[in-house]
């Protein structure tokens, strides 16, 4: 009986530790060290996030994507998968703003 209680205790402790290891990091509340603890965010990116946040907290993922250079839909998805949130929300693919239309390239005239 003692070994089953011990096994259950170890299982519960392991579950608690694993959930703490993947604690979400909210971009509006985190300091530089907390931001850099998210895989994919280094010193340069954390500085850009903190500078953009000085003007106003991020409303949502679209706001973050619009205001922070280097974060697009793909990067947002990766950062969210690593535990970054915006106001507690994870990034949901398909909610990003449409890409801005780029001007069509002109064809070079053919030489005769």
């Amino acid at each position: 009986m003692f070994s089953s209680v011990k096994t259950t205790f170890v299982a519960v402790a392991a579950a608690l530790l694993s959930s703490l290891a993947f604690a979400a990091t909210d971009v509006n509340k985190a300091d530089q060290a907390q931001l850099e603890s998210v895989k994919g965010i280094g010193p340069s990116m954390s500085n850009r996030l903190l500078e953009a946040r000085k003007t106003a907290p991020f409303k949502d993922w679209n706001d973050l994507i619009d205001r922070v250079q280097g974060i697009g839909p793909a990067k947002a998805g990766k950062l969210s998968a690593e535990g970054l949130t915006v106001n507690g929300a994870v990034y949901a693919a398909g909610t990003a703003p449409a890409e801005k239309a780029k001007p069509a390239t002109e064809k070079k005239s053919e030489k005769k």
Side-chain angles (χ1 to χ4, degrees):
M1 181 175 151
F2 180 69
S3 67
S4 68
V5 171
K6 184 177 178 182
T7 304
T8 303
F9 177 75
V10 170
V12 169
L16 287 173
L17 288 175
S18 67
S19 69
L20 290 176
F22 191 73
T25 302
D26 193 286
V27 72
N28 285 321
K29 297 175 183 172
D31 62 21
Q32 187 166 6
Q34 291 167 327
L35 288 171
E36 290 177 18
S37 73
V38 176
K39 184 178 177 185
I41 298 179
S44 178
M45 179 63 70
S46 66
N47 284 332
R48 287 196 302 268
L49 288 163
L50 292 170
E51 285 300 313
R53 192 175 76 186
K54 282 181 183 178
T55 59
F58 298 105
K59 297 175 193 168
D60 53 28
W61 278 97
N62 290 339
D63 186 31
L64 186 140
I65 290 169
D66 287 343
R67 292 171 44 199
V68 180
Q69 181 183 5
I71 299 184
K75 181 76 169 182
K78 290 176 184 176
L79 293 175
S80 181
E82 292 298 330
L84 191 69
T85 63
V86 178
N87 294 324
V90 296
Y91 178 73
T95 61
E99 287 189 33
K100 296 175 185 170
K102 296 180 182 177
T105 57
E106 296 178 20
K107 291 183 180 179
K108 294 181 180 179
S109 58
E110 295 179 23
K111 294 183 180 180
K112 292 184 181 180

